[in-house]
Amino acid sequence: MSNSTLTPEAQPAPSALATLNRWIVDYNLAQVGDHGQGRLTILAHDQQQHLIGGIIGFTDRGWLRIELLVVQEHHRRAGIGARLLQMVEAEAQRRGCHSAWLDTFSFQALPFYQQRGYIIFGALDHYPDAHPLLRPKSTCDRQANGSDAYDVALF
């Protein structure tokens, strides 16, 4: 055992976080090569250019990772979420991705994703409380379509 000190850090220095991240990235690159990671954000605005929704994720090693998809509550069920998902999948496919995955809680949007071909490949029970955290995935073979009163822009 080495003479090391382990300390819990509630707010670690950004430089320490960057160093740890660099170590794992360097290790991963040595194992599997360049991963071609790229951030991917699409925002939805109404006709007055107010932000009403968006999707945030990244592409990495042939996969799209969706970190967040949200539409402002009073704009839901108008097809905006579906358009965001279609557009992000189309862009991921253009970047060479074959599949997508995300996390969603059982009380969030699981039926929305299932209606679009996503299947659960993992779950974490009782997180939070009595609800499971679910991990759906799908292939990136749908294309963005349609137009309505909402502007969806890729950034």
Side-chain angles (χ1 to χ4, degrees), residues 62-66 85 89 98-104 109-123 133-142:
W63 284 83
L64 164 64
R65 167 66 163 108
I66 298 170
L85 188 60
E89 287 174 344
H98 52 78
S99 301
W101 69 282
L102 58 101
D103 292 329
T104 189
L110 183 60
F112 169 83
Y113 294 111
Q114 289 174 319
Q115 291 168 0
R116 286 151 186 85
Y118 281 70
I119 59 169
I120 297 170
F121 73 95
L133 174 69
L134 304 167
R135 225 169 230 182
K137 69 176 180 174
S138 182
T139 58
C140 293
D141 59 3
R142 291 172 297 283

Side-chain angles (χ1 to χ4, degrees), residues 8-61:
E9 301 279 341
Q11 297 198 0
S15 60
L17 297 175
T19 297
L20 295 173
N21 188 61
R22 182 82 253 148
W23 290 346
I24 195 65
V25 167
D26 289 347
Y27 177 81
N28 290 346
L29 287 173
Q31 303 306 309
V32 295
D34 189 4
H35 49 83
Q37 178 178 345
R39 299 297 308 170
L40 182 51
T41 300
I42 302 172
L43 303 177
H45 296 87
D46 65 12
Q47 291 178 332
Q48 291 75 41
Q49 295 306 305
H50 298 118
L51 181 65
I52 59 171
I55 190 165
I56 299 170
F58 61 89
T59 55
D60 184 24
R61 293 182 177 90

Side-chain angles (χ1 to χ4, degrees), residues 52-131:
I52 59 171
I55 190 165
I56 299 170
F58 61 89
T59 55
D60 184 24
R61 293 182 177 90
W63 284 83
L64 164 64
R65 167 66 163 108
I66 298 170
E67 298 172 300
L68 174 144
L69 188 162
V70 65
V71 175
Q72 196 174 28
E73 194 163 352
H74 63 275
H75 288 285
R76 291 181 187 159
R77 294 184 178 31
I80 300 165
R83 288 186 57 218
L84 287 165
L85 188 60
Q86 289 170 343
M87 187 177 240
V88 79
E89 287 174 344
E91 175 59 18
Q93 188 175 24
R94 189 189 69 73
R95 293 182 182 191
C97 292
H98 52 78
S99 301
W101 69 282
L102 58 101
D103 292 329
T104 189
F105 291 108
S106 62
F107 57 85
Q108 289 179 329
L110 183 60
F112 169 83
Y113 294 111
Q114 289 174 319
Q115 291 168 0
R116 286 151 186 85
Y118 281 70
I119 59 169
I120 297 170
F121 73 95
L124 183 59
D125 292 331
H126 307 291
Y127 181 78
D129 302 322
H131 302 281

